[in-house]
Structure formats: C-alpha cells, structure tokens
C-alpha cells in the first residue's frame, strides 16, 4: 500500500466541511474561542464513553467532578468549583460537601450528594458492565449524609485515587433523575437493565452548555446561564472536528483555529518558522503506541509468528519517519515519569535473520496479514514501514486505514463481529498517570472490550489486583515491570513510543491543558 498524505486541496476541503471560512480570530475580546478535536463525541456518558478528546473535553465543560487536574506539565490536582469541602480523612474514607445552588438543566433540580452517589456507584457496579468500571475497583460504597454532603468509602487503601480516579472525566457527575427518566435502557445478557446516554447530555450542571452540534463539523458551547460558579472567560467556544492533524495545522495557519494539537513530524518545521502571534506548548502526555496482534486469529495463533514480527519491525525507522525523531522509544505501556516505566525490553535489537528462521520453522512464508490503523499520517507512515519490514521476512501486509468513528468499534464484541477479523493493529491509548491505569485494559475481563490482543494470564490478573493494594513504591514498580514482561512474552506487542503532545495557540489565549494534552475549557483565559 502506498503511503497516503493530505494535500492542501484536500485539507482545505476538510475546512469547508467543518464550516470554516476566512475570519478574524475573536479570542482576544473573549467572545469566541475555536479549538480543534479529532473525533465527534459518540457517548458522553462517563462510564461508557470511548474516552476521546471531544468526549472528555465536553464532560469537563458541561458536567462536574469533585476534583480537577491542574493544567501544566506536571501532574497535580485541586478541589473543583463544585465543592465547598473535600478531604481524605483516612485511608478508606473521603468526605465531600457540594457547593449549594448548582442547578441541573431541564428542570432537574439542584446537584445533590445523591447524584454523586448515583454517578459513582452506577459506574462501579460490576453488574452494569461499564467499560470504565476499573476506575472504581476499590470502591465499597458512597454514603449520603444530607442533600449536599457525603463520603466515598473504599474497600482498601488506594493512594493513586487522587490522580487516577476522582479528577478523571469518568468521575463526572450525572443527573440521577434525568438518566432514570430519559436514559436509554439496555438489557445485558444476565438480565441486568442499565440506563445510559449517548452523544447528548440529558442534563448538565457545569459552566458551559451545548448550544448546537453539527456532526463532523463542530460542537458549539455557550455559557450556562444557571451556573453560579466562576464565570468562564469565553462566552462561546466552538470545538471544531478536524480528524487529520495536517488539515488542522492548515486551519490554524489560515487563522481558522485558536488552538490545535500538531503532529510530531511538523514540530521541527514550526520551531524553525512559527506563525505570527503564536506560542508552542509541549505536554509530556500519558499515551503509549504499539503494534498489537490478535492472538486468537488463526494467522497469529502460533507464538513463533508473533515473535518473528517482534524481531522484524524496525522501531527506530518508525520513530524517524512517523515522528520525526521527536518522540522517545517505548519499552512497555508505562510512560516516562510514571512508576514502573521501563527503559529496555527483553526483545533486544532488530533481528531479521532470526525472524526469517521462525517464519520458516512455522511454514508461514507468503502469509497475508491485515494491519488495521487509524487513517492518520503518523500511523500510515508507521504502517508503511511495518509493511516493508514484514515483507523482508516473507509476510504480506494489507494496510487497512479507518476513520476514528469506525476504528474504535472494531475490537468491541458489543459492536458486532469485526473483532474476529482483526490481526495486526496499530494502537494508541492514554490514561491517568499511574501504572494501574495502563494495565487495566489488558486484564482478562477486557478481552472483547479493550484488550484487542485477546490473551489472558492468571499471573497478570493477580498482579493487577496486587498493584492497586501495594503501598511501597519500589514493590509497586516491580509489580508493573513484571506485568509488562508478561505482555511482551505473549509475543503480541511491539512497543513503539510514548508521544509528547505539542500545541499551537494564539498569543491572546491562555490555554488550560492538562499534562496528557486534554483541554480544560473552563480554565481557558483571554490574555
């Protein structure tokens, strides 16, 4: 497959589809802010979302949490504008009191401690099968003391809760009354009925509300007139959907965006010639990118085939071509700066002859494999290199690019049978800054959900449980290093990179961007 690229004509076409035309930025006067996202929201329900930029950005703008991450380059948190009091009184108990007078939209009354209880317990309840239930794996229950006060009670100590769970978008409040009255009921295989919602909030309580949504174009936010907290700086925010980063860069250069993430292979060019009135910011990110292999597919069921692929892929060439050598090589799923990060792996260097020998041993010469990837320039560059690398050892690779909306459903058994056809997959995940959060997607219960490599390990599952209980940092680190060794030993992974996140923004905008590159729109200001 020839490498694809976005021409200027195609990119300008994408701008037209997004409803963009020549305009003067209005950011400086505080009226309108235009920021870019790469995917339309699919589910805004905190427990059932995919977790993309659009979804988490909207949740932080329109809902609330007990705590929020502090924007910047290093991880921290503070109590949110939704609470008067928030305190961990001992290892197992967190007390909170909401600020009075915060109203739900659509006549659903005041935000209450009962809403907080409902929000957390519906996600944590294993019977509801929420994909993000692991965030609350240590929850025992939530107590309600009065209309505004309550306590979160844990089963066991879990120190990372302040970075992995409480400030995370999955801990956003939802309105019990609105969901019970307007939610979509789904009956699970065991007969459990759970009510969820999709790309429209049944009720909001945050600083912003959705004014309009034009699918595949933009979501328009306006200030929530019922919000009684600090007034956000911008009266209106347009979250513009531009899937391809190169198209977004052209939109920014043309003055059509006030902030966008940019691709790493464009970073050097922007550093050399910066657009007028522009600032470049970098965030370290908590993302990890890898080539995965579906261990249950007949073509990849033999461990020797997977090990041959591990040995054949030239990761350094991928980093040079797809990431302009601006992104560090990874040796596991835990990013730099997070407990349990590895700076080497057991695979060793590239070994084409050893890979050929394994393929010959299996008799797999000439076998065709599909490689599924997002239709993005960096992934397509990486896919082209992988295609060439595997051709060297006698494997034919058919690259299959997909748009975001389709790609993220391919491995989900709940969305059909596409998972059966997955073979090689270029993947990129991100999560909160603790190794327990990176590991949660690979436990046995995630097969058919987010463990698209579809392997299971009793040792891995046990260590995942041990890791969230262990309080000694050195012992925790050892647990997560071993878990990455287990992943590597499956043969199902080729580690690629932990990508930093560069953004361009106008000088008259003061952005609030978390260390993982996600935007906190209520925290944006006009310079």
């Amino acid at each position: 497959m020839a490498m694809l690229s976005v021409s200027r004509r195609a990119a300008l076409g994408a701008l037209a589809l997004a409803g963009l035309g020549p305009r003067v930025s209005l950011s400086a006067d505080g009226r309108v802010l235009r920021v870019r996202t790469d995917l339309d929201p699919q589910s805004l329900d905190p427990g059932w979302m995919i977790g993309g930029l659009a979804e988490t950005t909207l949740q932080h703008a329109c809902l609330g949490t007990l705590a929020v991450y502090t924007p910047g380059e290093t991880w921290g948190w503070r109590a949110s504008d939704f609470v008067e009091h928030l305190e961990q009184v001992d290892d197992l108990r967190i007390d909170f009191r909401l600020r009075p007078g915060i109203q739900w939209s659509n006549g659903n009354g005041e935000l209450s401690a009962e809403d907080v209880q409902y929000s957390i317990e519906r996600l944590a309840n294993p019977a509801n099968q929420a994909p993000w239930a692991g965030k609350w794996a240590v929850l025992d229950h939530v107590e309600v003391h009065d209309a505004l006060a309550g306590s979160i009670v844990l089963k066991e100590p879990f120190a990372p809760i302040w970075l992995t769970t409480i400030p995370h978008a999955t801990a956003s409040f939802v309105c019990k009354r609105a969901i019970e009255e307007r939610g979509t009921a789904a009956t699970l295989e065991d007969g459990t009925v759970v009510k969820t919602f999709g790309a429209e909030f049944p009720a909001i309580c945050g600083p912003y509300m959705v004014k309009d949504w034009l699918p595949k174009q933009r979501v328009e936010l306006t200030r929530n007139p019922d919000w009684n907290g600090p007034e956000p700086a911008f009266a209106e925010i347009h979250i513009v959907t531009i899937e391809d980063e190169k198209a977004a860069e052209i939109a920014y250069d043309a003055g059509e965006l006030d902030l966008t993430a940019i691709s790493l292979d464009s970073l050097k060019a922007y550093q050399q010639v910066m657009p007028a009135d522009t600032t470049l910011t970098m965030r370290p990110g908590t993302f990890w990118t890898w080539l995965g292999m579906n261990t249950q597919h007949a073509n990849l069921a033999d461990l020797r085939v997977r090990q041959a692929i591990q040995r054949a892929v030239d990761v350094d060439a991928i980093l040079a071509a797809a990431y302009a050598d601006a992104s560090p090589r990874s040796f596991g799923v835990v990013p730099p700066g997070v407990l349990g990060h590895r700076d080497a792996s057991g695979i060793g260097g590239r070994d084409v002859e050893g890979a050929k020998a394994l393929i010959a041993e299996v008799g797999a010469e000439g076998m065709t494999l599909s490689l599924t990837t997002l239709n993005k320039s960096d992934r397509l560059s990486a896919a082209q290199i992988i295609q060439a690398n595997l051709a060297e050892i006698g494997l034919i690779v058919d690259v299959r690019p997909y748009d975001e909306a389709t790609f993220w459903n391919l491995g989900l058994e709940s969305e059909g049978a596409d998972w059966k056809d997955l073979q090689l997959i270029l993947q990129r995940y991100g999560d909160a800054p603790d190794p327990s959060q990176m590991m949660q997607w690979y436990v046995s219960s995630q097969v058919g959900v987010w463990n698209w490599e579809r392997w299971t390990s009793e040792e891995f599952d046990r260590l995942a449980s041990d890791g969230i209980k262990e309080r000694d940092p050195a012992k925790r680190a050892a647990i997560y290093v071993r878990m990455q060794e287990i992943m590597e030993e499956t043969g199902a992974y080729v580690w690629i990179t932990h990508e930093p996140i560069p953004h361009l923004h106008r000088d008259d905008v003061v952005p609030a961007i978390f260390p993982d590159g996600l935007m906190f729109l209520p925290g944006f200001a006009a310079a």
Side-chain angles (χ1 to χ4, degrees):
M1 173 184 172
M3 177 180 172
L4 302 178
S5 63
V6 178
S7 68
R8 185 171 183 82
R9 176 180 297 175
L12 291 173
L15 303 188
L17 287 173
L20 299 174
R23 63 181 283 276
V24 176
S25 171
L26 299 177
S27 298
D29 62 17
R31 287 182 289 171
V32 174
L33 172 71
R34 288 196 171 189
V35 299
R36 173 250 178 176
T37 186
D38 58 356
L39 175 66
D40 275 354
Q42 296 187 53
S43 173
L44 294 171
D45 193 321
W48 281 261
M49 66 174 176
I50 287 176
L53 176 61
E55 293 165 338
T56 53
T57 298
L58 285 167
Q59 286 158 350
H60 283 306
C62 300
L63 301 177
T65 50
L66 294 174
V68 295
Y69 295 118
T70 51
E73 296 184 12
T74 57
W75 286 102
W77 65 274
R78 66 169 177 83
S80 78
D81 295 325
F82 292 78
V83 299
E84 283 188 339
H85 177 76
L86 183 64
E87 179 186 9
Q88 183 158 6
V89 294
D90 58 41
D91 286 345
L92 301 180
R93 191 178 190 88
I94 298 167
D95 290 345
F96 65 88
R97 174 168 286 278
L98 299 171
R99 187 167 50 77
I102 301 173
Q103 297 297 315
W104 287 109
S105 62
N106 301 323
N108 283 292
E110 186 179 26
L111 171 66
S112 68
E114 187 178 1
D115 288 317
V116 177
Q117 178 191 54
Y118 177 79
S119 303
I120 295 173
E121 291 187 350
R122 73 187 276 268
L123 192 156
N125 184 354
N128 291 338
Q129 299 179 24
W132 293 85
K135 290 286 185 186
W136 289 104
V138 296
L139 179 74
D140 190 278
H141 65 281
V142 180
E143 296 175 355
V144 173
H145 304 316
D146 58 38
L148 298 177
S151 297
I152 298 170
V153 181
L154 307 179
K155 300 173 186 174
E156 56 198 34
F158 183 53
I161 197 169
W162 292 104
L163 286 178
T164 63
T165 307
I166 292 178
H168 198 267
T170 52
S172 298
F173 311 140
V174 295
C175 180
K176 177 179 179 179
R177 175 179 170 184
I179 291 180
E180 290 302 313
E181 291 181 356
R182 298 176 54 199
T184 300
T187 303
L188 305 179
E189 290 182 1
D190 64 357
T192 299
V193 177
V194 58
K195 289 191 174 182
T196 64
F197 59 93
E200 180 180 351
F201 292 114
I204 62 98
C205 63
Y208 284 102
M209 60 189 298
V210 177
K211 175 183 176 183
D212 197 10
W213 177 33
L214 302 174
K216 296 188 179 297
Q217 296 185 42
R218 64 185 178 274
V219 179
E220 297 180 2
L221 300 181
T222 189
R223 290 189 185 118
N224 176 9
D226 294 328
W227 171 246
N228 67 351
E231 184 176 73
F234 294 94
E236 193 165 313
I237 298 177
H238 294 178
I239 305 172
V240 182
T241 304
I242 305 177
E243 190 167 318
D244 187 85
E245 286 177 328
K246 298 300 183 183
E249 291 164 12
I250 292 173
Y252 185 90
D253 293 343
E256 304 302 336
L257 293 171
D258 298 308
L259 180 144
T260 184
I262 62 172
S263 60
L264 287 168
D265 61 359
S266 297
L267 180 60
K268 289 183 180 178
Y270 277 113
Q271 288 173 328
Q272 293 170 357
V273 181
M274 190 69 65
D277 303 317
T278 291
T279 297
L280 172 69
T281 65
M282 293 288 289
R283 294 292 184 267
T286 55
F287 294 94
W288 62 101
T289 301
W290 76 96
L291 174 69
M293 307 172 216
N294 180 358
T295 60
Q296 292 184 2
H297 194 281
N299 288 349
L300 294 164
D302 194 307
L303 174 61
R304 292 167 295 179
V305 173
R306 304 196 298 269
Q307 290 174 330
I309 294 170
Q310 285 181 318
R311 298 182 185 188
V313 174
D314 190 342
V315 175
D316 290 337
I318 293 173
L319 295 178
Y323 301 98
D325 282 328
S327 190
R329 182 168 183 169
S330 64
F331 299 97
V333 299
V334 180
V338 176
L339 187 80
H341 172 70
R342 298 203 307 169
D343 56 11
S345 81
I347 298 174
R350 188 171 186 240
D351 180 7
V352 175
E353 293 307 313
K356 285 181 178 179
L358 286 170
I359 293 298
E361 185 178 325
V362 178
E365 299 97 330
M367 181 170 64
T368 297
L369 297 170
S370 65
L371 196 169
T372 300
T373 179
L374 275 171
N375 190 10
K376 292 190 172 186
S377 58
D378 57 346
R379 314 297 165 79
L380 293 169
S381 295
Q384 185 182 40
I385 290 168
I386 293 168
Q387 184 182 53
N389 293 158
L390 298 191
E392 291 183 61
I393 65 170
L395 300 178
I396 301 167
V397 174
D398 173 27
V399 177
R400 299 179 182 177
Y402 292 88
D403 63 22
E404 292 257 14
T406 302
F407 178 86
W408 289 111
N409 288 325
L410 293 174
L412 302 179
E413 290 185 17
S414 61
E415 298 299 322
D418 288 335
W419 61 270
K420 296 180 180 179
D421 296 325
L422 289 177
Q423 298 180 46
L424 304 177
I425 314 126
L426 265 175
Q427 276 282 33
R428 176 182 183 263
Y429 284 179
D431 214 310
D434 186 81
S436 62
Q437 304 305 285
M438 288 84 204
M439 299 304 176
Q440 67 178 320
W441 307 116
Y442 307 99
V443 295
S444 299
S445 61
Q446 286 292 320
V447 172
V449 188
W450 298 114
N451 178 353
W452 290 9
E453 291 76 29
R454 303 184 64 84
W455 54 271
T456 62
S457 163
E458 291 183 3
E459 181 188 3
F460 189 92
D461 292 351
R462 175 178 55 77
L463 290 172
S465 178
D466 292 346
I468 63 173
K469 301 173 187 176
E470 179 57 61
R471 303 183 68 184
D472 182 274
K475 292 179 180 178
R476 286 196 84 217
I479 287 172
Y480 293 116
V481 167
R482 173 59 191 149
M483 293 177 77
Q484 289 169 96
E485 291 173 351
I486 293 170
M487 295 176 71
E488 193 168 84
E489 289 165 3
T490 68
Y493 299 92
V494 176
W495 316 121
I496 297 177
T497 190
H498 297 293
E499 303 170 39
I501 314 297
H503 286 85
L504 298 177
H505 67 84
R506 306 295 173 195
D507 289 342
D508 58 4
V509 174
V510 181
I513 304 173
F514 298 138
D516 58 2
L518 297 179
M519 297 178 290
F520 183 60
L521 294 180
F524 274 59

